[in-house]
Amino acid sequence: MSLARATHLTRRGLLAAGGALGLGAALAACGDDKGKDGGSGTEGKAGTSGPWSFKDDRGTTVKLDKVPANIVAFTGVGAALYDYGIQVKGVFGPTKTTAGKADVQAGDMDISKVTVLGNAWGQFSIEKYASLAPDVLISTMFDNAGTLWYVPEESKKKIAQLAPSVGISVYDRQLTQPLQRMWDLAESLGADMKAAKVTDARKRFEDAAARLRAAAKAKPDIKVMAGSASDQLFYVSGTNLSVDLEYFKALGVNFVEPPESAKKQGGGWFESLSWENVDKYKADIIMLDDRTSAIQPADITKATWKKLPAVKAGQVIARSPEPILSYDKCVPLLTNLAEALEKAKKVS
């Protein structure tokens, strides 16, 4: 899909257009999450036959006679639930690389044990979905319209007829909020939230947040740019809307901020730059989109990229614009940025 076409599409179209964006990692001992809590989980533990219900971030309450056993989810959601001990039956979204290995968004899931309904944007096998006899479908949402991520618009009605759905919002809020919502959801599905692995991950996350806050306070002049690379364009993300960047900013990280007028074509999320203009903003650290849909640092051959001070200084780190919403997977996002700030030299 060309960016020109993408600019006329919805948020989903913009995100799909070459993995372009900078969407968004992590908890708040510092706070001020945006948005209201979208709901809460209730009733339901694994091994019981009692009723289950969960109020999602659309305000929709899904009610079932028993705790869902056949769960189908967006790949990143399945990965988060896996970290809490919940195994999904099927997934949709980036799951396997061209080499057949687990995509970065699959986390620690054993992808050989899940049915992949679609591995790319627009792919979703309704036949495979129906064969799983799904109890519930779970995905994230990147807008306020209740649009389920990676559920194709053209077949969403047919998909909705087969099972109820749950949406967890990752739009215009700090990551701590969707992290808590995924925790609530996992708990409602029967996860043991008092297990040492789970409580340890949450504590490590809190410690990593404190470390990042301290690093940002110690290096207030270090400028960080969040970007994503495609063959023709480089995309610079603003901190608004993205859960990770909003949180990092709240912890004190000093980000490059494209003006709102420059982000219009990117739906308010990012500014598109030609590679000739990739030096428009001064940055000491560059956080680069780690999704397989984006070009990775080692594969960027543009001369203008190689001349950037942050690149020459080796101050480029990975960013996960679609973080896996478990505390375990968000710890490295905080730690890597904290370490980069601690070691960073002012080069811009």
Side-chain angles (χ1 to χ4, degrees), residues 30 119 143 163 179 216 225-226 229 253 274:
C30 106
N119 197 57
D143 59 26
L179 272 172
M225 180 169 69
V253 178
S274 66

Side-chain angles (χ1 to χ4, degrees), residues 223-241:
K223 203 78 171 176
V224 180
M225 180 169 69
S228 184
S230 72
D231 184 53
Q232 299 297 322
L233 296 167
F234 185 80
Y235 307 91
V236 180
S237 293
T239 57
N240 292 337
L241 307 183

Side-chain angles (χ1 to χ4, degrees), residues 95-284:
T95 307
K96 293 181 181 179
T97 65
T98 52
K101 296 182 179 180
D103 187 274
V104 64
Q105 294 191 63
D108 293 333
M109 277 195 305
D110 183 346
I111 60 175
S112 69
K113 293 184 178 179
V114 293
T115 298
V116 181
L117 307 182
N119 197 57
W121 187 262
Q123 296 179 358
F124 191 111
S125 172
I126 296 177
E127 292 74 18
K128 286 184 179 180
Y129 183 51
S131 72
L132 294 175
D135 294 320
V136 68
L137 179 148
I138 308 172
S139 191
T140 48
M141 302 181 297
F142 284 94
D143 59 26
N144 275 332
T147 306
L148 297 173
W149 192 227
Y150 267 80
V151 174
E153 283 291 325
E154 62 273 15
S155 53
K156 67 179 184 180
K157 290 184 179 179
K158 289 183 179 179
I159 292 168
Q161 291 172 356
L162 294 171
S165 62
V166 166
I168 300 297
S169 180
V170 285
Y171 177 74
D172 193 18
R173 61 200 63 205
Q174 294 177 26
L175 183 63
T176 45
Q177 189 173 342
L179 272 172
Q180 182 60 51
R181 296 294 289 131
M182 192 62 70
W183 174 288
D184 295 340
L185 177 61
E187 185 173 32
S188 80
L189 292 169
D192 180 2
M193 309 315 282
K194 294 182 179 180
K197 177 183 176 182
V198 174
T199 57
D200 174 68
R202 189 160 189 162
K203 177 62 165 60
R204 286 188 293 110
F205 181 88
E206 293 167 351
D207 291 344
R211 179 182 175 182
L212 179 54
R213 186 186 298 106
K217 185 176 182 180
K219 297 281 186 76
D221 296 331
I222 295 296
K223 203 78 171 176
V224 180
M225 180 169 69
S228 184
S230 72
D231 184 53
Q232 299 297 322
L233 296 167
F234 185 80
Y235 307 91
V236 180
S237 293
T239 57
N240 292 337
L241 307 183
S242 296
V243 290
D244 64 329
L245 302 184
E246 284 201 13
Y247 182 56
F248 296 156
K249 181 172 66 173
L251 291 176
V253 178
N254 185 8
F255 280 99
V256 166
E257 294 281 4
E260 290 303 315
S261 59
K263 294 188 294 182
K264 280 187 177 180
Q265 280 195 328
W269 293 75
F270 61 90
E271 178 181 0
S272 305
L273 297 177
S274 66
W275 282 102
E276 289 74 19
N277 296 315
V278 74
D279 61 352
K280 178 177 179 179
Y281 298 107
K282 293 182 178 181
D284 304 296

